[in-house]
Amino acid sequence: KKGGNQELLELDKKCEELGRKLRSSLTTMMDIGNNEEREKEGDEENKENYNHKENDDKENNDSLDIPCVSREDLFTIMKWKFSKGKSRPLWKYLNSNTEESVQRHSKASFQIASRETIKDDHGDDSICNTNIISESIKEMCKLSGVGPASSSAILSLLRPDLFVFMDDEVIECLHKGKREYTLKVYLNINDKCQTIATQLGEGWDVRRVGRALWTA
């Protein structure tokens, strides 16, 4: 048991580091996009300067893109997930994913997850958030052996403000009825974690709420 706890700690550190890298890449990409939009909205002189700058910097900017996870990253996250809860016979399916497919589907999922939320006339962005969360998870689930729970583990590293990890303990605490690993159940518990995070205030997000429930 002691060895298992140590393994979980090591995997937790690796996942936290991966999350920091993903969020840093996403922030850099969004900052560059915002700067380019501001330059495009300038006067004619600024627009002309922007066109020259765009041509000069195109090669450098091409390397800045939506982040993704590698096949190795996927396996690390899944090992972490199984170390926290019940291991499931999914490895033969996970191993069938190619490097190309993992990067392609994770990038597409992250691209959806990185969308800016839009509030309605009443200042409510919950519907927009739900659509982003649902579409992101559906895209990640295109990977073999990856369901809503595993998708949430991956996406929570990129957007801890939007995605809680669908841990067994989180389901048991917040979901009434049979434990199910469906998108419907996930959206329900994720919404409840968002409410708790809002009530707790600064420094809290849905992922942190989930981790607190797991350790309670």
Side-chain angles (χ1 to χ4, degrees):
K1 184 176 181 180
K2 184 177 180 181
N5 289 339
Q6 184 60 39
E7 180 184 14
L8 175 57
L9 287 174
E10 292 299 322
L11 288 169
D12 195 69
K13 289 179 182 178
K14 289 181 179 180
C15 288
E16 288 300 306
E17 178 61 27
L18 174 60
R20 283 191 289 270
K21 289 180 180 179
L22 291 173
R23 294 191 294 273
S24 177
S25 296
L26 182 62
T27 299
T28 300
M29 182 207 70
M30 296 179 73
D31 285 345
I32 289 175
N34 290 336
N35 288 338
E36 290 180 347
E37 285 301 316
R38 282 194 291 270
E39 291 187 40
K40 285 180 180 179
E41 292 172 358
D43 57 26
E44 290 302 321
E45 181 179 354
N46 286 338
K47 287 182 180 179
E48 183 177 352
N49 291 337
Y50 170 78
N51 289 333
H52 288 301
K53 182 177 182 295
E54 185 180 48
N55 292 331
D56 292 339
D57 294 346
K58 185 177 187 302
E59 183 175 348
N60 291 331
N61 287 345
D62 283 344
S63 63
L64 296 165
D65 202 353
I66 294 288
C68 63
V69 296
S70 66
R71 192 167 181 263
E72 181 181 357
D73 293 333
L74 173 64
F75 290 171
T76 297
I77 296 169
M78 294 305 294
K79 288 176 183 176
W80 171 79
K81 176 178 178 285
F82 292 148
S83 295
K84 283 171 63 66
K86 182 180 178 181
S87 181
R88 294 174 174 82
L90 297 176
W91 281 109
K92 66 177 181 179
Y93 302 108
L94 292 167
N95 281 318
S96 69
N97 293 302
T98 65
E99 180 67 33
E100 186 276 334
S101 66
V102 173
Q103 292 192 23
R104 173 162 47 87
H105 289 302
S106 64
K107 178 174 287 190
S109 179
F110 286 173
Q111 186 168 24
I112 298 169
S114 65
R115 291 176 184 167
E116 183 178 357
T117 58
I118 301 174
K119 295 183 179 181
D120 61 21
D121 294 338
H122 304 288
D124 186 6
D125 61 1
S126 60
I127 295 178
C128 180
N129 282 349
T130 299
N131 290 337
I132 291 173
I133 293 164
S134 179
E135 290 178 28
S136 300
I137 289 179
K138 287 178 181 178
E139 179 62 37
M140 196 71 77
C141 284
K142 291 179 181 179
L143 290 170
S144 183
V146 175
S150 298
S151 296
S152 71
I154 302 168
L155 286 157
S156 69
L157 298 178
L158 179 79
R159 292 292 305 270
D161 59 316
L162 277 185
F163 298 88
V164 68
F165 167 45
M166 194 181 194
D167 217 339
D168 290 349
E169 287 77 10
V170 176
I171 299 175
E172 291 174 357
C173 286
L174 301 176
H175 177 64
K176 295 181 179 180
K178 183 181 177 181
R179 185 196 302 171
E180 294 179 322
Y181 302 93
T182 63
L183 179 58
K184 181 179 180 180
V185 171
Y186 177 76
L187 292 174
N188 178 258
I189 64 171
N190 195 67
D191 184 61
K192 289 179 179 178
C193 284
Q194 186 65 67
T195 299
I196 294 171
T198 300
Q199 292 172 343
L200 290 172
E202 186 177 354
W204 284 89
D205 53 40
V206 289
R207 186 167 189 268
R208 186 181 178 190
V209 170
R211 288 173 70 89
L213 290 173
W214 180 78
T215 57

